[in-house]
mmCIF file of all heavy atoms in Angstrom:
data_model
loop_
_atom_site.group_PDB
_atom_site.id
_atom_site.type_symbol
_atom_site.label_atom_id
_atom_site.label_comp_id
_atom_site.label_asym_id
_atom_site.label_seq_id
_atom_site.Cartn_x
_atom_site.Cartn_y
_atom_site.Cartn_z
ATOM 1 N N GLU A 285 22.658 -5.886 33.519
ATOM 2 C CA GLU A 285 22.723 -7.308 33.887
ATOM 3 C C GLU A 285 23.853 -8.044 33.183
ATOM 4 O O GLU A 285 24.345 -9.048 33.687
ATOM 5 C CB GLU A 285 21.383 -7.997 33.544
ATOM 6 C CG GLU A 285 20.271 -7.590 34.493
ATOM 7 C CD GLU A 285 18.923 -8.196 34.138
ATOM 8 O OE1 GLU A 285 18.768 -8.701 33.005
ATOM 9 O OE2 GLU A 285 18.032 -8.149 35.001
ATOM 10 N N SER A 286 24.233 -7.577 32.013
ATOM 11 C CA SER A 286 25.265 -8.281 31.225
ATOM 12 C C SER A 286 26.307 -7.296 30.723
ATOM 13 O O SER A 286 26.379 -6.994 29.522
ATOM 14 C CB SER A 286 24.624 -8.991 30.023
ATOM 15 O OG SER A 286 23.474 -9.679 30.402
ATOM 16 N N PRO A 287 27.120 -6.754 31.649
ATOM 17 C CA PRO A 287 28.071 -5.710 31.242
ATOM 18 C C PRO A 287 29.097 -6.184 30.224
ATOM 19 O O PRO A 287 29.786 -5.367 29.605
ATOM 20 C CB PRO A 287 28.727 -5.288 32.555
ATOM 21 C CG PRO A 287 28.340 -6.278 33.566
ATOM 22 C CD PRO A 287 27.158 -7.036 33.090
ATOM 23 N N GLU A 288 29.175 -7.480 30.029
ATOM 24 C CA GLU A 288 30.154 -8.000 29.058
ATOM 25 C C GLU A 288 29.660 -7.860 27.619
ATOM 26 O O GLU A 288 30.425 -8.011 26.669
ATOM 27 C CB GLU A 288 30.477 -9.468 29.370
ATOM 28 C CG GLU A 288 29.413 -10.510 29.005
ATOM 29 C CD GLU A 288 28.193 -10.507 29.927
ATOM 30 O OE1 GLU A 288 28.165 -9.717 30.888
ATOM 31 O OE2 GLU A 288 27.253 -11.285 29.669
ATOM 32 N N LYS A 289 28.364 -7.564 27.447
ATOM 33 C CA LYS A 289 27.823 -7.516 26.081
ATOM 34 C C LYS A 289 28.189 -6.222 25.358
ATOM 35 O O LYS A 289 28.195 -5.154 25.963
ATOM 36 C CB LYS A 289 26.298 -7.660 26.131
ATOM 37 C CG LYS A 289 25.882 -9.080 26.488
ATOM 38 C CD LYS A 289 24.425 -9.344 26.250
ATOM 39 C CE LYS A 289 24.185 -10.841 26.379
ATOM 40 N NZ LYS A 289 22.787 -11.166 26.597
ATOM 41 N N PHE A 290 28.460 -6.342 24.071
ATOM 42 C CA PHE A 290 28.755 -5.125 23.295
ATOM 43 C C PHE A 290 28.194 -5.165 21.877
ATOM 44 O O PHE A 290 28.422 -4.263 21.085
ATOM 45 C CB PHE A 290 30.274 -4.858 23.280
ATOM 46 C CG PHE A 290 31.076 -5.963 22.659
ATOM 47 C CD1 PHE A 290 31.308 -5.992 21.290
ATOM 48 C CD2 PHE A 290 31.594 -6.991 23.453
ATOM 49 C CE1 PHE A 290 32.047 -7.023 20.721
ATOM 50 C CE2 PHE A 290 32.327 -8.027 22.889
ATOM 51 C CZ PHE A 290 32.557 -8.050 21.514
ATOM 52 N N ASP A 291 27.453 -6.207 21.550
ATOM 53 C CA ASP A 291 26.814 -6.250 20.230
ATOM 54 C C ASP A 291 25.516 -5.448 20.317
ATOM 55 O O ASP A 291 24.620 -5.802 21.096
ATOM 56 C CB ASP A 291 26.522 -7.717 19.871
ATOM 57 C CG ASP A 291 25.868 -7.850 18.498
ATOM 58 O OD1 ASP A 291 25.331 -6.845 17.984
ATOM 59 O OD2 ASP A 291 25.894 -8.964 17.949
ATOM 60 N N PRO A 292 25.384 -4.368 19.545
ATOM 61 C CA PRO A 292 24.174 -3.531 19.661
ATOM 62 C C PRO A 292 22.869 -4.316 19.483
ATOM 63 O O PRO A 292 21.841 -3.940 20.025
ATOM 64 C CB PRO A 292 24.337 -2.495 18.546
ATOM 65 C CG PRO A 292 25.801 -2.435 18.295
ATOM 66 C CD PRO A 292 26.345 -3.804 18.598
ATOM 67 N N ARG A 293 22.936 -5.430 18.755
ATOM 68 C CA ARG A 293 21.706 -6.210 18.585
ATOM 69 C C ARG A 293 21.242 -6.792 19.910
ATOM 70 O O ARG A 293 20.047 -7.010 20.109
ATOM 71 C CB ARG A 293 21.937 -7.330 17.561
ATOM 72 C CG ARG A 293 22.084 -6.796 16.151
ATOM 73 C CD ARG A 293 22.504 -7.873 15.198
ATOM 74 N NE ARG A 293 23.840 -8.390 15.534
ATOM 75 C CZ ARG A 293 24.553 -9.196 14.749
ATOM 76 N NH1 ARG A 293 24.065 -9.590 13.603
ATOM 77 N NH2 ARG A 293 25.765 -9.612 15.101
ATOM 78 N N ASP A 294 22.177 -7.028 20.828
ATOM 79 C CA ASP A 294 21.797 -7.612 22.122
ATOM 80 C C ASP A 294 20.897 -6.678 22.936
ATOM 81 O O ASP A 294 20.133 -7.128 23.772
ATOM 82 C CB ASP A 294 23.047 -7.945 22.953
ATOM 83 C CG ASP A 294 23.771 -9.157 22.400
ATOM 84 O OD1 ASP A 294 23.134 -9.958 21.687
ATOM 85 O OD2 ASP A 294 24.987 -9.287 22.675
ATOM 86 N N TYR A 295 21.069 -5.367 22.734
ATOM 87 C CA TYR A 295 20.163 -4.459 23.463
ATOM 88 C C TYR A 295 19.115 -3.796 22.564
ATOM 89 O O TYR A 295 18.037 -3.433 23.025
ATOM 90 C CB TYR A 295 20.922 -3.411 24.298
ATOM 91 C CG TYR A 295 22.019 -2.649 23.580
ATOM 92 C CD1 TYR A 295 21.718 -1.532 22.831
ATOM 93 C CD2 TYR A 295 23.354 -3.043 23.683
ATOM 94 C CE1 TYR A 295 22.723 -0.816 22.184
ATOM 95 C CE2 TYR A 295 24.363 -2.345 23.034
ATOM 96 C CZ TYR A 295 24.034 -1.236 22.283
ATOM 97 O OH TYR A 295 25.026 -0.526 21.640
ATOM 98 N N ASN A 296 19.409 -3.666 21.269
ATOM 99 C CA ASN A 296 18.393 -3.051 20.386
ATOM 100 C C ASN A 296 17.173 -3.949 20.189
ATOM 101 O O ASN A 296 16.058 -3.455 20.014
ATOM 102 C CB ASN A 296 19.008 -2.726 19.018
ATOM 103 C CG ASN A 296 19.800 -1.431 19.058
ATOM 104 O OD1 ASN A 296 19.520 -0.556 19.887
ATOM 105 N ND2 ASN A 296 20.779 -1.293 18.194
ATOM 106 N N LYS A 297 17.399 -5.261 20.224
ATOM 107 C CA LYS A 297 16.267 -6.171 20.013
ATOM 108 C C LYS A 297 15.276 -6.079 21.196
ATOM 109 O O LYS A 297 14.089 -5.836 20.970
ATOM 110 C CB LYS A 297 16.781 -7.598 19.809
ATOM 111 C CG LYS A 297 15.750 -8.544 19.285
ATOM 112 C CD LYS A 297 16.422 -9.800 18.707
ATOM 113 C CE LYS A 297 15.407 -10.815 18.249
ATOM 114 N NZ LYS A 297 14.825 -11.595 19.358
ATOM 115 N N PRO A 298 15.742 -6.236 22.447
ATOM 116 C CA PRO A 298 14.768 -6.061 23.552
ATOM 117 C C PRO A 298 14.167 -4.656 23.588
ATOM 118 O O PRO A 298 13.001 -4.480 23.971
ATOM 119 C CB PRO A 298 15.583 -6.326 24.818
ATOM 120 C CG PRO A 298 16.947 -6.693 24.409
ATOM 121 C CD PRO A 298 17.052 -6.705 22.924
ATOM 122 N N ALA A 299 14.949 -3.658 23.174
ATOM 123 C CA ALA A 299 14.412 -2.288 23.158
ATOM 124 C C ALA A 299 13.270 -2.187 22.152
ATOM 125 O O ALA A 299 12.217 -1.602 22.426
ATOM 126 C CB ALA A 299 15.525 -1.309 22.802
ATOM 127 N N ARG A 300 13.469 -2.774 20.998
ATOM 128 C CA ARG A 300 12.440 -2.755 19.953
ATOM 129 C C ARG A 300 11.193 -3.498 20.441
ATOM 130 O O ARG A 300 10.070 -3.064 20.222
ATOM 131 C CB ARG A 300 13.036 -3.434 18.712
ATOM 132 C CG ARG A 300 12.197 -3.370 17.480
ATOM 133 C CD ARG A 300 12.983 -3.846 16.284
ATOM 134 N NE ARG A 300 13.414 -5.238 16.406
ATOM 135 C CZ ARG A 300 14.285 -5.839 15.586
ATOM 136 N NH1 ARG A 300 14.828 -5.164 14.592
ATOM 137 N NH2 ARG A 300 14.625 -7.098 15.751
ATOM 138 N N GLU A 301 11.417 -4.618 21.124
ATOM 139 C CA GLU A 301 10.265 -5.379 21.640
ATOM 140 C C GLU A 301 9.513 -4.590 22.710
ATOM 141 O O GLU A 301 8.285 -4.605 22.769
ATOM 142 C CB GLU A 301 10.733 -6.727 22.207
ATOM 143 C CG GLU A 301 11.089 -7.703 21.111
ATOM 144 C CD GLU A 301 11.949 -8.888 21.582
ATOM 145 O OE1 GLU A 301 12.248 -8.997 22.802
ATOM 146 O OE2 GLU A 301 12.334 -9.677 20.712
ATOM 147 N N ALA A 302 10.265 -3.872 23.546
ATOM 148 C CA ALA A 302 9.614 -3.081 24.608
ATOM 149 C C ALA A 302 8.777 -1.966 23.993
ATOM 150 O O ALA A 302 7.658 -1.674 24.437
ATOM 151 C CB ALA A 302 10.679 -2.503 25.546
ATOM 152 N N MET A 303 9.298 -1.347 22.939
ATOM 153 C CA MET A 303 8.525 -0.281 22.270
ATOM 154 C C MET A 303 7.298 -0.877 21.588
ATOM 155 O O MET A 303 6.209 -0.303 21.647
ATOM 156 C CB MET A 303 9.403 0.481 21.275
ATOM 157 C CG MET A 303 8.593 1.485 20.461
ATOM 158 S SD MET A 303 9.603 2.712 19.631
ATOM 159 C CE MET A 303 8.409 3.396 18.462
ATOM 160 N N GLN A 304 7.457 -2.014 20.944
ATOM 161 C CA GLN A 304 6.308 -2.649 20.273
ATOM 162 C C GLN A 304 5.168 -2.880 21.273
ATOM 163 O O GLN A 304 3.995 -2.657 20.975
ATOM 164 C CB GLN A 304 6.737 -3.980 19.644
ATOM 165 C CG GLN A 304 5.579 -4.690 18.944
ATOM 166 C CD GLN A 304 5.966 -6.068 18.412
ATOM 167 O OE1 GLN A 304 7.141 -6.339 18.158
ATOM 168 N NE2 GLN A 304 4.986 -6.932 18.240
#
Side-chain angles (χ1 to χ4, degrees):
E285 287 177 345
S286 314
E288 75 287 358
K289 288 193 169 161
F290 61 87
D291 181 342
R293 289 172 296 191
D294 287 338
Y295 49 84
N296 280 334
K297 193 163 176 281
R300 187 170 62 190
E301 285 162 3
M303 174 164 165
Q304 179 185 336

